[in-house]
């Protein structure tokens, strides 16, 4: 449902399982019918890090694909690409415009907004 007053949307999902760990252990996920290779979940890295089950993604050290680098930088990239795909799956036909925090600013933990000076933004637009 949408809460227009707050500017938020909520989507029901079967499962959302964010995991954090230094050693990927699949546990019960290993029995979901996912394609596993060397204790890691195979994904399609040419598109969106989706597994062999449509709508199920795996990012970070738990996944594997040809040329995989187990670096935090790779995980950040995988997360950004996966989120774009998930957004389209949740909102079919709706256009998503990527906003760059270095240009549009970001809200700090204290509620203040940090923004680039207007002349800087105009020079790169």
């Amino acid at each position: 449902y949408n809460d227009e007053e707050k500017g938020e949307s909520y989507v029901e999902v079967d499962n959302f399982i964010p995991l954090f760990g230094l050693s990927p252990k699949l546990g019960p996920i290993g029995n979901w019918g996912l394609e596993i290779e060397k204790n890691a979940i195979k994904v399609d890295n040419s598109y969106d890090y989706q597994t062999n089950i449509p709508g199920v993604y795996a990012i970070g050290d738990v996944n594997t694909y040809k040329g995989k680098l187990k670096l935090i930088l790779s995980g950040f990239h995988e997360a950004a690409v996966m989120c774009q795909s998930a957004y389209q799956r949740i909102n079919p036909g709706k256009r998503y415009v990527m906003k760059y925090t270095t240009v549009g600013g970001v809200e700090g933990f204290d509620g203040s907004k940090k923004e680039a000076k207007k002349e800087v933004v105009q020079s790169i637009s």
Side-chain angles (χ1 to χ4, degrees), residues 26-56:
L26 298 177
I29 294 173
N31 299 322
W32 285 10
L34 298 167
E35 194 174 344
I36 308 293
E37 180 180 290
K38 296 182 182 175
N39 203 37
I41 302 169
K42 286 185 75 174
V43 294
D44 178 4
N45 70 311
S46 67
Y47 183 59
D48 61 2
Y49 302 96
Q50 210 164 161
T51 68
N52 60 305
I53 300 174
V56 176

Side-chain angles (χ1 to χ4, degrees), residues 88-123:
Q88 288 303 311
R89 178 174 283 279
I90 294 166
N91 302 288
K94 189 173 181 183
R95 187 166 179 256
Y96 177 78
V97 179
M98 176 68 78
K99 295 180 182 175
Y100 300 93
T101 57
T102 53
V103 175
V106 350
E107 195 169 303
F109 290 112
D110 62 356
S112 63
K113 183 147 182 163
K114 318 299 189 233
E115 293 185 25
K117 294 180 182 172
K118 289 193 187 275
E119 56 272 11
V120 172
V121 173
Q122 289 173 345
S123 71

Side-chain angles (χ1 to χ4, degrees), residues 58-73:
I59 57 172
D61 289 349
V62 76
N63 78 11
T64 191
Y65 50 87
K66 186 177 180 183
K68 169 74 175 184
L69 297 174
K70 290 196 174 196
L71 301 171
I72 194 166
L73 178 63

